[in-house]
Amino acid sequence: MSESYKPTTKFGKWFNDRLPLLTLSAHLREYPTPKNLNYWWTFGGILTFCLISQIITGVVLGMHYVAHADMAFSSIEHIMRDVNYGWLIRYIHSNGASMFFLAVYIHIFRSLFYGSYKSPREIIWILGMLIYLLMMATAFMGYVLPWGQMSFWGATVITNLFSAIPLVGDSIVTWLWGGYAVDNPTLTRFFSLHYLFPFLILGLVILHIWALHVPGNNNPVGIDIKKPSKDTVPFHPYITIKDLFALLVFLIIFSGFIFFAPNILGHSDNYIEANPLVTPKHIVPEWYLLPFYAILRSVPDKLGGVILLFASIFILMALPWLDSAKVRSAIFRPIYKKFFWLLIIDVLALGYVGAMPAEGVYLLVARVATIYYFAHFLIILPVLSRIEKTDPVPLSISEPVFSGMPKTEMMRSYKNNV
Amino acid sequence: MNKSGKKNNRRSFLFTASYTLGAVGIGATVWPFIHQMNPDSSVKALATTEVDVSQIQPGKSITVLWRGKPVFIKRRTQEEIAEAQSVNLKELKHPEKDEDRVKKSEWLVMLGICTHLGCVPLADKGEYNGWFCPCHGSHYDTSGRIRKGPAPVNMEIPKYKFIDDNTIMIG
Amino acid sequence: MFKYNFRIFFVSFVIFSFSMVASQTEEKIELIKIDWSFKGITGKFDRASLQRGYQVYTEVCASCHSMNLLSYRNLGEEGGPEFSVDQVKAIAANFEVTDGPNNDGEMFTRPGRPSDKFVSPYPNVQAAMAANGGAYPPDMSVLVKARKGGANYIYSVLMGYEDPPQDFQLSDGVYYNKYMDGNKIKMSKPIADDIVSYADGTKATESQIAKDVTTFLAWSSEPHLEKRHKMGMKVVIYLIILTLLVYLSMKRLWSRIDSKE
């Protein structure tokens, strides 16, 4: 066990006695990980890479960016044109934000499918939701900084939402703006907070991983395993190399965007300098915020829309208690599995209508999809916890599965054993 | 026995090749992040300044801004030139011939920054008829050389040239 | 299991890309699509076209449209029109640049230098609007990126002037354009056959002029496009090779575990 780790050098022992970094390192290397983890489990590592990449490129951009309404737009063009490799660092950062959210959505849906949010991992889940919230706030503020038309009007629309709060709404909005409209004070404070939040995220990520290391990873079969045992492998080198492989595949896709389609995920209106007198025809957030935008606009009442918007995120936090089914993995929950796919289609539909004008058939779809979204968490999941007849769950990872969808690797190992 | 040895060699070659290729990639990735702090092309474009010196009278000097720093351009009188050229090099903390510091003896072009800790010396002051730095008491002569005080070397001569008789290009 | 995961990914990808594509083709009208030399992953700019495009900009567009994020030295940089150092100096010197204040506290004009930004036709946005019937001729430094459809859109608008259909209301100073949003534009048709006479002798048909100036504007929006494509090719090939090596290492490493069962 890593607690009995002994440093190999005298200096190592001296240092480790004072700050047990070597013990920590040994713990991380030996950390018993289920050997049946599939590639959906590599996204935690990918996310850590994304966070560090955004921080490094962000700090470097901050050396050249000017956070003033008169100079923000042209300072970014200065980065794109004059700063050595500025165009590269900027495109890594802007596309990195999209990749960050792509990875986080896959990571979250992995948890939903395999029940990683269930006891005893509720705190990991809640920390993850807080990280997600901070990510959305960071991304929103970051998008304002180029001071294009979408930057300005997106900021205007979203900050205006807070005026829906009764009594204090208008004061809160003025307080957020630092003025009577989105203007320079708003920009400068968004720059400061955009720089700060990723470090808060970093702190929460450390807590998230720490909380994970207590019970250990969940696995595709969703059963508790003893660690260490023949069901586990040491994290290094088996999981490190698998994470590295997945990260490299991810980087190929990332590079495809950076080098060959760097603006495809963005909106052309943001290459027009912010103009408080001209509103763009369609104000849309970046793609990763579209489902929430759809939920917001589906409610005719302003306050109602704001409440539902926040509720749609907070409801996720309550998930471990809404879904109390004892079986974790959807592999053994045939009915839940179907509703899982329906949820994915629902979220994709919300994303699609979020980009459309809020009228006609788009609005109808948004409303239906919003109601379904809440129904999934508030009605379907609790009911399923009570009435679903789950499939039998294997006793260990190395043993075969009795029914349901067998993992091909497990079937192979079963065949080898017989 | 032999087979497992071969297998081991193949395996460690694979790992070594991966590490090496990975290290190359990491190195190539790090470079842009370092190079971005080097002067960008808009800064490099302003790296030269042209100065019209036709209005400067003998004995007078002007100060221009070049790359964010002050440059003294002095039109020296014959006495000042003679004084600069006749100094015994052994007396100098930083021995330099006046002829090596100017292209045309009438014109002294130098960075107006004291080589001690960076203050801007005052013209026509000090005991050597040149410049005096009030921060810590360095005295410079008519060639901008340190004669007395804590400054270690003479004031720097930047790269410059005469485009024509009236115009100097610095940088 | 793998089939399942693939199905998820495939469905999500289809829906995702459909939604992206659908949200981008809101306009009912199809733009004119040109096979630009800078299109695609190996796209490059045609140097001669860029130089002609710059000539069109200067002679036709610059009287109303600024390009104030460009400097004259950009015209000599790699990946662009690549005028020579002397040509760039000469081009810059053609323009009067406001500088100052001088030692008397006054602003003055002097011939341009390569380090200067492109001179604007108007001192500010308000003057530009006042001189153009209340419409602001947009700055064109990043115009190609600022319009859905990019270079195809710019080209289409330039070529899209037509007689309006019956009953179409047009006020004074407003013109009909097939590709503009709402079909109205306050710029009269800016180009016509032989409106410029090309220094390199190329026949200056309307479509040639439109192609050249659009190419120039595309470069202005993305001056490092060629470098980006070159680097991207190297990076992706490198990553594919490294991924393969790491994949093989991973399989070799895990063979220990898989065989221990």
Side-chain angles (χ1 to χ4, degrees):
Chain A
M1 284 305 300
S2 55
E3 282 66 42
S4 56
Y5 171 74
K6 293 256 179 306
T8 51
T9 65
K10 259 176 89 177
F11 173 73
K13 182 172 189 328
W14 178 88
F15 189 90
N16 202 53
D17 284 344
R18 287 150 179 74
L19 178 67
L21 284 183
L22 293 175
T23 307
L24 175 64
S25 160
H27 159 81
L28 292 173
R29 286 171 80 97
E30 295 162 13
Y31 173 64
T33 316
K35 65 179 175 186
N36 63 337
L37 295 188
N38 58 35
Y39 284 100
W40 301 114
W41 260 264
T42 56
F43 283 86
I46 288 172
L47 283 167
T48 310
F49 172 84
C50 285
L51 178 62
I52 293 172
S53 168
Q54 290 300 94
I55 288 178
I56 292 178
T57 52
V59 166
V60 164
L61 288 171
M63 293 182 180
H64 304 276
Y65 170 75
V66 179
H68 188 286
D70 297 341
M71 294 186 66
F73 188 88
S74 53
S75 75
I76 290 193
E77 279 301 309
H78 161 71
I79 290 170
M80 295 294 289
R81 292 165 193 278
D82 296 327
V83 172
N84 302 318
Y85 294 106
W87 56 270
L88 175 64
I89 297 169
R90 193 274 176 107
Y91 277 150
I92 293 177
H93 196 77
S94 57
N95 287 284
S98 281
M99 298 305 284
F100 204 168
F101 277 93
L102 178 64
V104 94
Y105 285 137
I106 295 175
H107 185 72
I108 291 175
F109 278 99
R110 180 283 311 263
S111 299
L112 292 184
F113 188 85
Y114 293 105
S116 306
Y117 52 86
K118 289 172 181 293
S119 170
R121 298 182 177 87
E122 302 95 321
I123 291 290
I124 305 171
W125 172 256
I126 290 178
L127 283 169
M129 281 296 123
L130 290 174
I131 292 170
Y132 179 50
L133 258 177
L134 279 183
M135 275 175 64
M136 289 194 284
T138 307
F140 166 71
M141 292 190 294
Y143 193 67
V144 176
L145 302 182
W147 212 240
Q149 275 287 67
M150 275 311 167
S151 307
F152 181 88
W153 289 100
T156 301
V157 164
I158 299 303
T159 47
N160 260 321
L161 289 181
F162 290 89
S163 63
I165 300 172
L167 294 176
V168 292
D170 284 328
S171 311
I172 291 183
V173 175
T174 308
W175 174 76
L176 282 174
W177 284 342
Y180 306 107
V182 168
D183 203 342
N184 196 52
T186 325
L187 175 63
T188 51
R189 65 191 51 183
F190 276 9
F191 179 58
S192 173
L193 294 176
H194 180 75
Y195 208 125
L196 168 69
F197 276 24
F199 295 99
L200 302 180
I201 291 174
L202 187 59
L204 285 180
V205 165
I206 291 173
L207 294 181
H208 186 70
I209 298 175
W210 185 2
L212 169 70
H213 281 217
V214 174
N217 297 66
N218 189 17
N219 65 81
V221 177
I223 56 173
D224 289 325
I225 53 172
K226 278 211 205 21
K227 41 185 189 100
S229 67
K230 66 172 166 56
D231 282 349
T232 67
V233 289
F235 192 84
H236 181 72
Y238 297 99
I239 307 297
T240 42
I241 202 167
K242 194 165 179 177
D243 277 356
L244 178 62
F245 170 67
L247 176 63
L248 286 172
V249 174
F250 181 82
L251 285 179
I252 293 175
I253 299 171
F254 192 3
S255 301
F257 282 112
I258 294 169
F259 293 101
F260 301 113
N263 291 299
I264 204 170
L265 295 170
H267 198 291
S268 52
D269 273 0
N270 224 32
Y271 277 104
I272 303 173
E273 248 186 291
N275 186 346
L277 299 175
V278 175
T279 312
K281 253 181 61 177
H282 303 298
I283 301 175
V284 253
E286 288 286 88
W287 69 267
Y288 40 81
L289 297 179
L290 287 174
F292 300 106
Y293 198 55
I295 293 176
L296 171 74
R297 294 186 310 175
S298 63
V299 185
D301 177 56
K302 191 170 173 184
L303 180 59
V306 175
I307 290 176
L308 269 197
L309 172 64
F310 287 105
S312 66
I313 303 161
F314 287 110
I315 209 175
L316 280 168
M317 296 223 191
L319 184 56
W321 295 276
L322 292 169
D323 176 11
S324 52
K326 289 287 176 289
V327 172
R328 285 199 189 102
S329 171
I331 293 181
F332 305 103
R333 301 182 64 188
I335 304 178
Y336 172 80
K337 202 192 307 186
K338 294 194 174 29
F339 282 108
F340 172 83
W341 290 118
L342 280 177
L343 180 68
I344 293 213
I345 292 173
D346 181 67
V347 168
L348 290 172
L350 279 172
Y352 178 77
V353 295
M356 295 294 126
E359 48 195 37
V361 67
Y362 302 123
L363 187 57
L364 180 63
V365 169
R367 288 181 169 155
V368 168
T370 302
I371 293 173
Y372 183 79
Y373 177 89
F374 284 97
H376 173 93
F377 290 100
L378 291 174
I379 304 174
I380 296 174
L381 290 190
V383 165
L384 279 184
S385 316
R386 253 159 275 259
I387 67 165
E388 184 181 21
K389 185 172 182 315
T390 59
D391 293 340
V393 151
L395 296 172
S396 87
I397 294 175
S398 311
E399 276 186 39
V401 181
F402 297 119
S403 67
M405 197 72 169
K407 192 165 177 304
T408 42
E409 276 164 63
M410 287 190 320
M411 279 310 285
R412 199 196 307 133
S413 76
Y414 172 65
K415 286 201 187 108
N416 286 339
N417 271 332
V418 170
Chain B
M1 215 18 125
N2 236 359
K3 217 175 170 200
S4 83
K6 241 194 180 167
K7 216 176 175 190
N8 275 337
N9 280 341
R10 265 216 305 271
R11 179 206 289 167
S12 61
F13 170 74
L14 186 57
F15 293 165
T16 313
S18 304
Y19 285 142
T20 313
L21 201 60
V24 166
I26 291 179
T29 307
V30 167
W31 171 244
F33 291 92
I34 297 179
H35 190 40
Q36 54 83 21
M37 280 172 70
N38 274 327
D40 62 57
S41 49
S42 65
V43 164
K44 293 208 283 233
L46 292 174
T48 63
T49 297
E50 280 173 27
V51 187
D52 174 9
V53 296
S54 57
Q55 304 300 314
I56 307 177
Q57 299 302 317
K60 295 271 179 273
S61 69
I62 61 167
T63 306
V64 295
L65 206 57
W66 170 73
R67 289 189 184 175
K69 294 179 277 207
V71 175
F72 298 154
I73 302 178
K74 182 163 176 143
R75 189 171 178 185
R76 303 191 295 181
T77 61
Q78 291 305 320
E79 293 86 28
E80 287 167 335
I81 298 172
E83 214 181 314
Q85 287 176 345
S86 61
V87 172
N88 187 343
L89 291 181
K90 290 208 206 357
E91 292 175 34
L92 294 172
K93 190 194 271 192
H94 177 194
E96 259 190 326
K97 285 211 265 202
D98 181 69
E99 293 87 335
D100 294 334
R101 288 173 61 76
V102 292
K103 291 194 154 102
K104 295 187 185 179
S105 55
E106 207 189 351
W107 295 98
L108 177 63
V109 178
M110 71 185 176
L111 273 179
I113 299 178
C114 181
T115 58
H116 179 229
L117 290 174
C119 297
V120 180
L122 304 168
D124 301 318
K125 297 238 168 10
E127 295 164 18
Y128 292 84
N129 222 2
W131 287 264
F132 171 73
C133 183
C135 290
H136 308 97
S138 293
H139 299 254
Y140 297 87
D141 65 14
T142 54
S143 184
R145 295 174 294 202
I146 180 67
R147 302 298 291 272
K148 181 175 166 187
V153 294
N154 304 334
M155 281 195 269
E156 189 185 327
I157 307 293
K159 180 172 149 211
Y160 71 96
K161 69 171 185 235
F162 279 86
I163 306 184
D164 56 53
D165 284 337
N166 290 328
T167 321
I168 297 177
M169 182 170 87
I170 311 176
Chain C
M1 200 56 223
F2 178 68
K3 221 172 56 179
Y4 238 113
N5 298 344
F6 179 72
R7 206 214 291 176
I8 305 170
F9 189 72
F10 182 71
V11 167
S12 341
F13 182 73
V14 164
I15 298 181
F16 178 63
S17 44
F18 175 72
S19 68
M20 261 195 348
V21 166
S23 66
Q24 303 220 348
T25 50
E26 261 188 335
E27 278 92 52
K28 304 290 185 298
I29 183 125
E30 275 268 338
L31 298 172
I32 308 173
K33 300 234 175 37
I34 301 289
D35 191 22
W36 303 103
S37 69
F38 48 88
K39 218 176 74 171
I41 61 178
T42 52
K44 287 193 199 29
F45 289 113
D46 177 340
R47 293 299 141 240
S49 180
L50 286 178
Q51 295 199 358
R52 292 195 298 268
Y54 172 69
Q55 184 183 349
V56 174
Y57 165 72
T58 312
E59 292 180 17
V60 179
C61 323
S63 51
C64 300
H65 288 278
S66 58
M67 286 186 87
N68 51 34
L69 295 170
L70 282 183
S71 305
Y72 293 109
R73 60 179 166 84
N74 296 137
L75 296 171
E77 284 167 358
E78 214 183 302
E82 290 181 7
F83 288 106
S84 72
V85 172
D86 288 325
Q87 281 175 311
V88 171
K89 274 202 194 132
I91 289 172
N94 273 333
F95 297 93
E96 285 295 307
V97 167
T98 308
D99 200 353
N102 56 22
N103 288 335
D104 293 322
E106 286 161 358
M107 305 301 283
F108 58 93
T109 60
R110 56 158 175 79
R113 299 186 200 126
S115 56
D116 290 321
K117 290 247 159 27
F118 273 32
V119 165
S120 290
Y122 302 106
N124 49 58
V125 172
Q126 290 86 339
M129 287 172 78
N132 288 282
Y136 171 59
D139 181 277
M140 302 209 291
S141 312
V142 284
L143 193 64
V144 165
K145 282 199 286 199
R147 295 290 182 272
K148 225 184 278 190
N152 286 333
Y153 174 81
I154 303 293
Y155 180 83
S156 300
V157 168
L158 285 175
M159 302 295 288
Y161 285 86
E162 285 180 351
D163 286 327
Q166 208 85 359
D167 302 333
F168 194 93
Q169 294 291 358
L170 274 180
S171 342
D172 260 351
V174 183
Y175 306 88
Y176 184 84
N177 188 292
K178 205 166 142 194
Y179 299 97
M180 276 295 282
D181 198 29
N183 294 122
K184 293 199 186 119
I185 187 171
K186 273 189 154 160
M187 171 175 72
S188 62
K189 183 151 177 248
I191 58 176
D193 286 337
D194 295 314
I195 198 175
V196 294
S197 119
Y198 279 133
D200 68 359
T202 307
K203 197 160 177 332
T205 60
E206 209 176 288
S207 66
Q208 182 67 46
I209 294 174
K211 273 205 197 85
D212 290 332
V213 76
T214 304
T215 301
F216 175 73
L217 291 181
W219 165 78
S220 164
S221 281
E222 288 272 24
H224 297 292
L225 176 140
E226 292 184 2
K227 195 158 173 217
R228 175 161 55 82
H229 283 172
K230 264 206 218 86
M231 195 187 284
M233 195 57 72
K234 289 196 206 125
V235 167
V236 171
I237 291 175
Y238 164 83
L239 281 175
I240 290 176
I241 297 174
L242 184 63
T243 304
L244 192 64
L245 280 180
V246 169
Y247 177 75
L248 294 172
S249 306
M250 176 176 71
K251 282 292 171 207
R252 176 137 299 165
L253 197 63
W254 273 83
S255 64
R256 295 185 213 158
I257 303 296
D258 295 334
S259 65
K260 260 202 241 158
E261 316 247 279

